[in-house]
Amino acid sequence: MTDTTPAPGGFRMDRRTALATTAVAATALTVAGCSTSDKSAAAAPNPAPAKNDPAAAKKQGNVLANTSDVPVGGGIISGDTVITQPVAGTFDGFSSTCTHLGCKVNAVEGGLIKCPCHGSTFNLDGTVAGGPAPRALDPRAIRVDGDQIVSA
């Protein structure tokens, strides 16, 4: 049994339709109330960090290390990137994921990048020095920006 009380203007609406319409309207008002109407904040661009501001560049997430952190004839691991300096002033970047079974390399010692899982080792140019890794480490694009090494 439905209640079809005539609405003003002769339009009839049953109770179920009236409740559904009210629910939709309430939901729309709730969503509208939760959204922001401050267009100035959305339209304002984020300022670019100053070139010589390492703190601002780090917030961008692209600074990997300082050049002084990477020893000549060695390297470091920064996040998921291995950075090596085989000769003074030459920096190379590689993925820290071993090409054998996907373990993360964990050390750069004695001129070798080492994987702890199955003993694979890589030269400072990323090529395989000792297996079981079947291929070189994947290269990562890096560049030197002043005294910092950043992802390119």
Side-chain angles (χ1 to χ4, degrees):
M1 181 175 275
T2 59
D3 179 12
T4 55
T5 307
F11 178 74
R12 290 186 169 173
M13 183 183 303
D14 65 19
R15 184 181 307 160
R16 193 173 290 157
T17 303
L19 288 173
T21 302
T22 303
V24 168
T27 302
L29 288 172
T30 301
V31 170
C34 291
S35 66
T36 180
S37 63
D38 184 8
K39 292 181 183 174
S40 63
N46 289 336
K51 261 193 162 184
N52 59 356
D53 184 0
K58 275 195 179 201
K59 289 178 188 173
Q60 296 272 327
N62 61 345
V63 174
L64 299 172
N66 290 320
T67 55
S68 61
D69 296 336
V70 185
V72 175
I76 63 167
I77 300 168
S78 176
D80 61 354
T81 302
V82 178
I83 303 165
T84 63
Q85 186 176 193
V87 295
T90 301
F91 296 91
D92 296 317
F94 306 98
S95 168
S96 65
T97 302
C98 180
T99 57
H100 176 228
L101 291 177
C103 291
K104 295 293 184 183
V105 298
N106 70 342
V108 183
E109 299 171 342
L112 295 174
I113 303 164
K114 299 180 178 185
C115 180
C117 294
H118 301 104
S120 291
T121 55
F122 302 88
N123 296 306
L124 296 179
D125 65 359
T127 59
V128 176
R135 61 182 176 81
L137 293 171
D138 293 329
R140 285 277 169 91
I142 61 170
R143 63 183 170 80
V144 175
D145 186 8
D147 64 347
Q148 296 179 326
I149 300 169
V150 296
S151 56

